[in-house]
Amino acid sequence: MKKVLMLFLTLFILAPTFSLFGCAKTETTSKVIRVCNCEDYIDESIFEEFTAQTGIEVIYSTYGTNENLYNELVINPNSYDLVVPSEYMIEKLAVEGRIQPLTKKTEYQGYLTDYNSNISPFIKEKLQAIEIDSGKYKNDNLSLYDFMVGYMWGTMGWVYNTETVSVDDVKNWYSPFNNSDIYGRITIKDSVRDSYIVGLAMVYQDELELATDNQTITEILNRTDKTSINKVGDKLSSLKDKLYGFEVDSGKNDIVLGNIDAYVAWSGDAAYAIDVAAGEYDDEDLGVLEDDQLKSLSYYIPDEGSNIWFDGFVMPSGSTNYDAVYKFLEFISSSSSVYANMNYTGYTSMMAGDYIFDNIVVDWFDESEDLEVGEGIEVDFSYFFGNNGDYTIKVSEESYGRLIAQYPTQENVERCAVMSFFDSETLMDINEMWEKVKGETWSWWVIILIVSLVVLLAILMILYKNKDKIKWIKLPERKKSYAQRKGLTEISKKEIKYL
């Protein structure tokens, strides 16, 4: 009877817990939303406004690389309600069924009305062109646009010091390596995907320069046959002696501090570096730059072509927190949030509309009133904002590089390719190539240090093996343990002194 009573008592106590577990599986609304994004890639102060408007608290986390995020979603698909990967990883996650189409929940589409109306028509067309034609959603006629709410986008190119590097030195991806004056003062990305596409552009430069349509450029910059992989590996390895090093995040600070003269940069980092170097605002790590530290930097997208990338919010398959998710997506797509996040990160939102054009493009860049007739460069951004208005501004030649870091021209983007995700076999081959490239990049002083340590270790081993033959080597006698000492009946003063 006692055992039966104890069983009923235990079940009574645990009943609320079982109830909570059941809610965790079926709950579609929550006062909390879990968001994971890259570091320094959002203005976190806007979360307070979101909470004030909706009563939903934001639990915010960051990840290092798309691959880190992928591993976490594989291990625990219930980790987050929204994550922000890049387009190739979104495609991979969609094919594997690890994220869910945001357009499937028709009852929540009202929250995306402004987003669907204001997203750049150029971006929308690019995302809709990437079909999810394999894996779980193979027969559902879905595109990348159906899985993501667009966040930021950009290009990749050269950031260079205009005082030491001419624009001719960055016209092509390989151009900086022809200038012996800047050997050892160049960096490329410590990222296999980004450096791989740079290597492809170098290997197939002649073909790319002859290409006249985006489809051909995209095909060349997505080659993953073994011959191409080997050629890219050889090309990247040949750059070792001319590099300052490989980097992911330190390049923008290195060029501001004058440690390097040119580096491969994502456009948002390029905009950031240009502004900091010019004294537009202070960097938290670098502090306030002195006048003699200020310098003129610029950005150039090589003529043969480059990468165009898109980052967006996606909903992992393990989340059912739809109400909070769609309210957050509505909030993050609003004009005030777009402005705040662009101003904070230096990257470019996928959102268009007159508010963005007037308050960012015109307010930040247009120099029409300061230029004389016939001066400056006129740029038309109707490809991005649409053909229902005048979206033309004029900038000086000195400001042009900063402008295209934020908003590339139509001519720029027509020569940029979206990279597809690598399948498992291709990824193994490319990673193997990358390991060989990186494994051969030790500095001379590291090699000398390793050789010295090996020689020293060898000498010590020889001395130890021949210790009996070498009179001046005398190893210390092993001291007796405390127990041994306590067990002695007679200890001379000399022995006590020794002990």
Side-chain angles (χ1 to χ4, degrees):
M1 181 62 69
K2 287 183 179 180
K3 290 181 180 180
V4 173
L5 289 174
M6 287 299 294
L7 176 61
F8 276 108
L9 182 61
T10 301
L11 292 173
F12 177 77
I13 294 173
L14 293 178
T17 305
F18 295 146
S19 177
L20 285 175
F21 285 148
C23 289
K25 293 180 180 179
T26 59
E27 185 71 42
T28 59
T29 61
S30 174
K31 291 300 181 183
V32 169
I33 184 169
R34 302 160 298 167
V35 181
C36 189
N37 192 7
C38 293
E39 190 173 356
D40 294 328
Y41 203 30
I42 200 168
D43 183 356
E44 296 182 41
S45 66
I46 66 174
F47 294 158
E48 296 179 7
E49 182 181 349
F50 174 72
T51 302
Q53 289 182 13
T54 63
I56 300 171
E57 178 189 358
V58 180
I59 299 178
Y60 187 69
S61 305
T62 60
Y63 67 86
T65 66
N66 280 283
E67 287 67 32
N68 295 146
L69 178 62
Y70 174 81
N71 292 335
E72 189 162 357
L73 292 178
V74 169
I75 295 171
N76 186 4
N78 301 311
S79 302
Y80 306 107
D81 300 307
L82 282 173
V83 296
V84 188
S86 299
E87 80 293 329
Y88 77 90
M89 186 55 70
I90 297 175
E91 186 180 2
K92 179 179 176 65
L93 291 168
V95 167
E96 296 179 1
R98 301 188 190 280
I99 56 176
Q100 48 190 305
L102 290 171
T103 58
K104 282 293 186 181
K105 292 291 178 181
T106 55
E107 64 269 33
Y108 291 101
Q109 290 311 296
Y111 289 107
L112 299 182
T113 300
D114 289 340
Y115 168 75
N116 288 322
S117 300
N118 292 323
I119 186 173
S120 164
F122 162 75
I123 300 291
K124 185 174 183 178
E125 182 181 352
K126 281 288 186 182
L127 297 179
Q128 288 180 331
I130 304 174
E131 299 177 351
I132 307 302
D133 53 5
S134 62
K136 180 177 179 179
Y137 300 103
K138 178 179 180 179
N139 300 316
D140 292 349
N141 195 29
L142 296 173
S143 68
L144 209 63
Y145 184 81
D146 297 306
F147 285 88
M148 64 185 282
V149 165
Y151 184 49
M152 300 291 182
W153 74 287
T155 58
M156 189 169 65
W158 284 111
V159 171
Y160 63 101
N161 186 338
T162 61
E163 298 168 8
T164 58
V165 178
S166 72
V167 68
D168 289 334
D169 289 327
V170 290
K171 283 278 188 179
N172 305 103
W173 282 111
Y174 195 79
S175 296
F177 300 100
N178 289 325
N179 184 350
S180 58
D181 292 338
I182 59 174
Y183 284 177
R185 298 181 60 81
I186 308 169
T187 63
I188 63 175
K189 286 298 175 197
D190 190 3
S191 162
V192 62
R193 287 188 63 86
D194 297 296
S195 290
Y196 183 71
I197 197 171
V198 170
L200 281 171
M202 291 179 180
V203 169
Y204 297 110
Q205 179 179 336
D206 293 341
E207 282 189 58
L208 286 166
E209 289 178 342
L210 293 174
T212 57
D213 61 283
N214 186 262
Q215 183 177 353
T216 302
I217 294 170
T218 299
E219 182 275 319
I220 295 172
L221 293 179
N222 275 284
R223 289 178 180 173
T224 55
D225 57 279
K226 292 187 182 298
T227 299
S228 294
I229 293 173
N230 291 334
K231 286 182 177 180
V232 168
D234 292 340
K235 179 63 70 174
L236 294 178
S237 294
S238 72
L239 305 179
K240 301 192 313 287
D241 297 335
K242 301 175 183 179
L243 288 176
Y244 179 81
F246 294 86
E247 63 81 34
V248 174
D249 196 47
S250 60
K252 57 182 181 287
N253 286 346
D254 282 329
I255 201 163
V256 169
L257 293 173
N259 297 328
I260 58 177
D261 291 309
Y263 86 107
V264 175
W266 298 302
S267 51
D269 281 356
Y272 172 88
I274 293 170
D275 287 346
V276 172
E280 294 293 331
Y281 59 87
D282 301 330
D283 176 82
E284 293 181 1
D285 297 327
L286 300 179
V288 180
L289 296 179
E290 301 295 334
D291 289 342
D292 61 352
Q293 291 180 294
L294 300 179
K295 52 182 64 68
S296 172
L297 305 180
S298 192
Y299 179 70
Y300 194 89
I301 302 170
D303 294 346
E304 60 263 44
S306 184
N307 173 228
I308 187 170
W309 50 265
F310 307 99
D311 293 345
F313 288 91
V314 299
M315 189 174 183
S317 56
S319 173
T320 56
N321 195 9
Y322 298 109
D323 185 63
V325 162
Y326 282 93
K327 285 180 179 178
F328 185 86
L329 293 175
E330 179 183 45
F331 173 80
I332 208 70
S333 302
S334 66
S335 296
S336 59
S337 294
V338 169
Y339 183 91
N341 288 324
M342 281 191 63
N343 190 54
Y344 178 82
T345 65
Y347 283 88
T348 305
S349 173
M350 296 187 196
M351 303 300 287
D354 290 343
Y355 178 90
I356 302 301
F357 181 77
D358 293 337
N359 290 276
I360 294 180
V361 181
V362 174
D363 190 41
W364 291 9
F365 300 106
D366 191 25
E367 298 174 306
S368 299
E369 296 181 359
D370 303 323
L371 295 169
E372 300 291 337
V373 176
E375 290 184 341
I377 302 172
E378 191 172 85
V379 186
D380 182 2
F381 287 113
S382 58
Y383 87 91
F384 184 83
F385 288 91
N387 297 312
N388 57 346
D390 181 11
Y391 297 110
T392 302
I393 65 169
K394 184 178 285 188
V395 297
S396 64
E397 292 183 8
E398 293 77 16
S399 302
Y400 183 74
R402 172 63 180 84
L403 170 66
I404 65 169
Q406 198 82 60
Y407 284 97
T409 66
Q410 183 172 4
E411 183 182 7
N412 291 146
V413 298
E414 285 176 351
R415 298 200 65 83
C416 288
V418 178
M419 287 189 72
S420 300
F421 75 93
F422 301 140
D423 60 39
S424 299
E425 182 179 352
T426 300
L427 184 60
M428 287 180 61
D429 291 339
I430 292 178
N431 281 338
E432 183 179 353
M433 174 275 294
W434 184 241
E435 288 174 6
K436 291 179 181 178
V437 171
K438 292 295 299 297
E440 299 171 356
T441 58
W442 288 347
S443 300
W444 62 268
W445 64 267
V446 175
I447 297 174
I448 292 176
L449 179 60
I450 293 174
V451 172
S452 300
L453 290 174
V454 171
V455 171
L456 179 60
L457 181 61
I459 292 173
L460 291 175
M461 291 179 65
I462 293 171
L463 291 175
Y464 180 78
K465 288 182 178 180
N466 295 277
K467 62 182 182 297
D468 295 333
K469 300 178 182 179
I470 305 175
K471 296 182 179 180
W472 51 270
I473 296 181
K474 184 176 181 181
L475 297 178
E477 295 182 7
R478 186 175 181 180
K479 294 182 180 181
K480 296 179 179 180
S481 68
Y482 176 77
Q484 290 173 324
R485 296 201 303 270
K486 293 293 288 183
L488 296 174
T489 55
E490 292 184 5
I491 304 178
S492 66
K493 291 181 179 181
K494 183 176 180 181
E495 288 173 325
I496 293 174
K497 185 177 180 181
Y498 168 77
L499 293 172

